[in-house]
Amino acid sequence: MFKGKKKQIISFILVVVLLLSTFATVYATPNKNASGQANAPNANATVQLKKFVYDWLNEKETEKYFSEISDAIWSYAELGLEEYNTADLIQYVMEQEGFEIDRGVADMPTALLATYKKGSDGPVIAIMGEFDALPLISQEASDSTRNPVVEGGPGHGCTHNTMATAGAAATIAVKKAMDKFNINGTVRYYGSPAEESLVPRPFFIDAGLFDDVDIIIDNHGGGSFGTSWSGKVGTGTALYSFLVTFKGKTGHAASPWTGTSALKPVELMMHATNLLREHLMYTHRMHYAVIDGGEAPNVMPDKATIWYFIREHDDRIDDMLDRVLKCAEGSAIATGTTYDVQMLAGIHQRYGNKVIAEAMYKNIKEVGMPEWSEEEQLFAKAIQKELGKPETGLRTEINDAPTGPPATFVGGASSDMGSASLYRPTASLSFPSNGPGDSHHWTSVAGTGSTIAHKGIIAGAKVMAATALDFLTDQKLVDAAWAEFNELKAERPYESRVQGIKPPLGLNKEVMEKYRPLMEQYYKEPEWYPGPWSLEEGR
């Protein structure tokens, strides 16, 4: 009888050992070969990893949690370098999940890093999050007619509330997978303020915050689901952002010979730069705003400031800057005033990495577009009708393939992620977190606070998390991305365009001090959240 039980016990132990061995084969970190590099991961292990992440992000409580975070950031609608409430919320969320927080990095109080490291080796994966809003476009969520929450106030018209949230959700999902399946490496979330002013990433680079990074996963919300690469060609435009301040002498406007108006050189510079456009390449872009031009028509201002954005191809942007600044110099000479230039930001074009983009696209195909409700489609069509566009509704198919560089460079938008992409291998995900509203417009604000955004956040987080895990578990994939990047680096080495300057703190302080008290009553803060705290501490 004892011998029979003994055989049963031995058989049971053998079964357990076999199961544990199988489990280890499926879930373990990829083994290192003789050269110290990780082998390609077990295909079944990759499937299990991603299933774990997808299942967690699909949980109703998870969806609700991140929807509440996005809605809170949407309601804060804080302009660049004033995102104190938003940074507090992101910091709290990441701390609760066990991340190490570095707040106020690169001399920006609202910038933060949230880092999780497991083991002593493995790749370092950076996941981006942006969270600043735009001025003047406050709008009620899910409302297809113009209806500001606070008249004249800011709003999230470029999906940054969803980008901040999707990036955080992806980073947390990766950490959970690293813990569950014992994966070595580092995943880090980059809380990035003032993207609309093209500020954070060049200063991150100069502060050394990307120096240990192997792969950067960027993201941007919109109406599509896809990714792109650009190789050595580059997409979008390089950009310089700067203020030109002219100084004169106050005087009574009825006796103008008694003073020197600082507004006149501003007017002259606008005219000069508009005449200059004809002699610049058709790929350039140039925009300006007079942010200080006096306070009363009968008092000549002794100070006036104009803010310029100039954009061009990396090869021509420095020449364009020189020519625009000569317009400032000439305007000062002609009006008998003095001037100074304050450089706010300088960035490169984007150089998306094809290896990362192709890995990302495989995950986009696997995740697929969210399923939109009839109500969401009707809202999208109402927005399109409001804008005078064809009423096609929300897209239901992913992009056909990762898009490459255009056959002919014609200019376009800019992002400070361009600088990051010239510093480390980078690709960006475009995920469907908004309806068809125009970007930087109140119609976009209506979408980024809706259930469309909630669904898009989860879809985007799945793809970013899955892509991060691809690179965490496959050193050969990391090496391939770096081989491509090193070819780019040899042809276009990174050069800082913010060297010697500091982030423009206080740029939006007055505006937020005006509107934040009016907006506070409409905040959508989660019941589980005890903050924010930074502004209270500063009062």
Side-chain angles (χ1 to χ4, degrees), residues 44 64 117 220 248 329 526:
N44 192 29
K64 180 175 181 290
K117 180 176 182 179
H220 206 294
E329 181 184 11

Side-chain angles (χ1 to χ4, degrees), residues 73-79 133-158 438 440-449 511-512 515-516 518-524:
I73 297 171
W74 181 92
S75 69
Y76 293 149
E78 295 170 297
L79 300 177
L134 289 157
L136 303 172
I137 54 174
S138 174
Q139 170 68 14
E140 288 284 356
S142 304
D143 192 333
S144 60
T145 59
R146 187 71 171 109
N147 185 16
V149 177
V150 172
E151 188 68 48
H156 272 287
C158 200
D438 283 351
H440 292 211
H441 189 265
W442 66 263
T443 50
S444 186
V445 184
T448 56
V511 177
M512 286 310 303
Y515 286 109
R516 189 178 273 117
L518 302 176
M519 297 162 60
E520 285 178 345
Q521 61 183 308
Y522 303 108
Y523 285 171
K524 300 181 178 183

Side-chain angles (χ1 to χ4, degrees), residues 155-188:
H156 272 287
C158 200
T159 76
H160 289 189
N161 61 305
T162 70
M163 295 158 66
T165 308
T171 309
I172 293 168
V174 172
K175 175 188 178 294
K176 289 181 179 293
M178 292 169 72
D179 286 341
K180 174 77 173 178
F181 301 115
N182 195 31
I183 300 168
N184 286 353
T186 301
V187 63
R188 183 181 299 133

Side-chain angles (χ1 to χ4, degrees), residues 17 19 51 53 66 104 122 173 208 217 320 485:
V17 169
L19 287 172
K51 183 179 184 303
V53 163
F66 289 109
I217 297 173
M320 183 180 176
F485 177 74

Side-chain angles (χ1 to χ4, degrees), residues 198 235-241 283-285 309-318 320 346-351 409 411-415 418-419 497:
L198 293 304
T235 54
T237 46
L239 179 147
Y240 281 112
S241 168
T283 50
H284 88 275
R285 304 288 189 275
F309 272 16
I310 64 168
R311 313 179 196 238
E312 243 295 7
H313 192 280
D314 261 329
D315 293 341
R316 294 186 289 273
I317 188 73
D318 288 328
M320 183 180 176
I347 64 167
H348 290 272
Q349 291 174 258
R350 281 182 180 266
Y351 297 90
F409 177 78
S414 308
S415 169
S419 291
R497 287 181 168 154

Side-chain angles (χ1 to χ4, degrees), residues 456-474:
I457 286 165
I458 296 301
K462 287 178 181 177
V463 171
M464 285 188 279
T467 305
L469 289 167
D470 284 334
F471 285 90
L472 273 171
T473 57
D474 188 352

